[in-house]
Amino acid sequence: ILRRSNRAAMSLMLKLRLLSACSLIVFISSCARRNEDLKMIELTMNSSVDSFQDSIFFSRIEDIEFSDDEFYYLDGKTGLIGIFSYDLIFKRLMQTVGPGPEEVNAAGNFTLSNGSIYIFDNGSGSVKEYTTQDSRFNQAYKLPAIGISTDFSVFGNSLYISDFRSEKPLLSYSMDNGELKRFGLGRKWSNKSFDVERHILSDINDNLIVAYQSDSPTIELYSKTGQLMQSLDLSYLEIFKNSLVKYKEQVLPQRNTSMIIIRDVQLVGDNLYALITSHNVEGNVSFNKILKCSISDSEIKPILIYQLNLTGYYLSFSVGKNKLVAFNYSTQSIEQFSLNN
């Protein structure tokens, strides 16, 4: 009986060792998959528009949007909205800037929806709506006092706005009755700390709101009711590792900006594109990349990486059909690339 018991115990120990070994292999394989580099495609520039050589003046393009085969851009210095064709041929400037109540005093950002352009006017604390065809003023939506709004979107009869100084940094505002709802994860913003969550509303489709943290590689998906669907930390990807180490080691007591990891995010159909730049305190750029992810059943999955010009510094971008347009601050030019994958 004792011999039989010993054999049973040895058999059990062997099974446990095999199970532990299998678990270790599964764990290692999982880690290997999580740390595996994504496929990288180097993009070649097709065409560009230079602000000086092409006699079209713009200095700092804060945002680019695509609609009806046209690219719209906001010049952060002049507050003007410019329009390019799909092939990057300049078409016109929208005349919306001025001191009047139906004009934009200080444009902060803009978005396009249902044949209208909505411009966030920092001067009046309101969002002003114009027709895209003739710049005709439609209506102004006076917003409640918010800290700092860096981006917003329009869907249906609601404005979705970021307010990253709030503990709930995202809010929805009904254009019908002015009802305000706050949601989103975050901590109270402090100008004494650079390791903070600065949620910036980026884009919205029929079902999802996209927000991200500019100072860490985290992208969040929310339902239109404010429910958090997914929070994806991309720090396991190789492209973020060295950058994150440098960021955590930086001490920036005299600066009011942190090193930005994710500059802009856009939803295009079932795909999400994120503009990722990395630079040090001196402003030297180490990389410019576009991360492409798929979205299925409210889940984000990284697919591949597009490599932009290594010597540039890109502030904003937009994807339209199979083309990508980005503003290169280093050369003061708008550049266009073809997306083949």
Side-chain angles (χ1 to χ4, degrees):
I1 294 173
L2 184 60
R3 191 180 297 117
R4 196 179 299 123
S5 299
N6 288 338
R7 282 201 301 268
M10 291 178 62
S11 176
L12 179 60
M13 290 179 61
L14 180 60
K15 289 179 180 179
L16 289 174
R17 288 177 181 175
L18 288 173
L19 181 61
S20 298
C22 291
S23 299
L24 180 60
I25 291 171
V26 171
F27 174 76
I28 292 173
S29 299
S30 175
C31 290
R33 284 195 299 269
R34 285 181 61 82
N35 289 290
E36 185 179 3
D37 283 340
L38 295 175
K39 177 183 178 182
M40 185 173 296
I41 297 175
E42 187 169 346
L43 295 180
T44 302
M45 184 174 64
N46 295 332
S47 59
S48 66
V49 177
D50 187 286
S51 63
F52 301 105
Q53 294 181 5
D54 293 331
S55 300
I56 303 169
F57 178 75
F58 47 78
S59 57
R60 183 183 177 93
I61 294 181
E62 300 290 349
D63 194 12
I64 305 175
E65 302 287 344
F66 178 77
S67 177
D68 296 328
D69 290 336
E70 293 179 326
F71 288 100
Y72 294 70
Y73 70 86
L74 169 63
D75 188 328
K77 185 175 182 179
T78 65
L80 293 171
I81 302 288
I83 304 172
F84 286 94
S85 70
Y86 183 65
D87 296 318
L88 217 59
I89 298 173
F90 181 77
K91 299 182 71 172
R92 67 187 187 277
L93 288 173
M94 298 187 68
Q95 301 302 320
T96 58
V97 175
E102 296 184 356
E103 297 174 309
V104 177
N105 309 137
N109 215 304
F110 80 100
T111 190
L112 301 164
S113 180
N114 299 322
S116 294
I117 182 167
Y118 298 82
I119 305 175
F120 196 102
D121 186 0
N122 288 325
S124 63
S126 63
V127 170
K128 296 180 178 179
E129 178 187 357
Y130 302 85
T131 59
T132 55
Q133 292 300 319
D134 55 9
S135 305
R136 178 171 49 86
F137 174 79
N138 283 339
Q139 193 170 350
Y141 303 95
K142 183 65 177 179
L143 301 175
I146 57 178
I148 294 180
S149 181
T150 50
D151 206 353
F152 76 105
S153 292
V154 174
F155 182 79
N157 65 342
S158 295
L159 296 169
Y160 293 86
I161 309 164
S162 71
D163 180 9
F164 66 73
R165 282 188 174 181
S166 171
E167 292 181 359
K168 291 187 176 181
L170 305 177
L171 58 91
S172 64
Y173 174 82
S174 173
M175 293 184 286
D176 290 337
N177 55 29
E179 182 182 8
L180 184 70
K181 294 181 180 179
R182 288 187 176 272
F183 62 98
L185 304 176
R187 298 190 301 272
K188 186 68 176 178
W189 184 83
S190 170
N191 58 6
K192 297 180 181 180
S193 172
F194 296 96
D195 189 16
V196 296
E197 296 179 277
R198 297 196 224 170
H199 290 247
I200 303 177
L201 183 67
S202 173
D203 210 338
I204 187 169
N205 63 14
D206 290 350
N207 301 304
L208 298 171
I209 299 169
V210 177
Y212 66 94
Q213 301 173 37
S214 63
D215 58 356
S216 66
T218 300
I219 300 176
E220 297 169 359
L221 294 184
Y222 294 89
S223 69
K224 286 184 293 183
T225 60
Q227 179 184 0
L228 179 63
M229 307 296 290
Q230 185 189 8
S231 178
L232 178 64
D233 183 357
L234 299 170
S235 60
Y236 70 89
L237 295 176
E238 289 293 335
I239 60 171
F240 289 110
K241 286 185 176 179
N242 292 334
S243 180
L244 283 173
V245 170
K246 291 178 182 178
Y247 170 68
K248 295 299 182 183
E249 291 176 352
Q250 294 290 354
V251 178
L252 310 175
Q254 304 300 324
R255 295 183 55 136
N256 198 29
T257 57
S258 62
M259 185 180 71
I260 295 176
I261 304 298
I262 300 178
R263 284 214 63 101
D264 197 5
V265 180
Q266 291 203 356
L267 275 176
V268 183
D270 294 330
N271 293 316
L272 181 148
Y273 297 84
L275 171 60
I276 305 163
T277 63
S278 177
H279 59 91
N280 55 26
V281 179
E282 289 74 25
N284 300 318
V285 178
S286 55
F287 67 69
N288 299 276
K289 303 179 190 295
I290 300 287
L291 174 65
K292 180 180 179 180
C293 303
S294 65
I295 300 180
S296 178
D297 298 326
S298 301
E299 182 179 356
I300 311 172
K301 180 181 179 182
I303 300 175
L304 56 84
I305 297 170
Y306 295 111
Q307 174 68 63
L308 294 175
N309 187 344
L310 292 173
T311 60
Y313 179 30
Y314 295 88
L315 300 184
S316 54
F317 83 110
S318 183
V319 175
K321 295 183 179 178
N322 65 336
K323 292 185 178 180
L324 183 146
V325 167
F327 173 59
N328 188 340
Y329 182 72
S330 299
T331 59
Q332 289 290 295
S333 62
I334 300 176
E335 301 172 355
Q336 187 178 78
F337 306 84
S338 292
L339 300 179
N340 300 319
N341 295 81

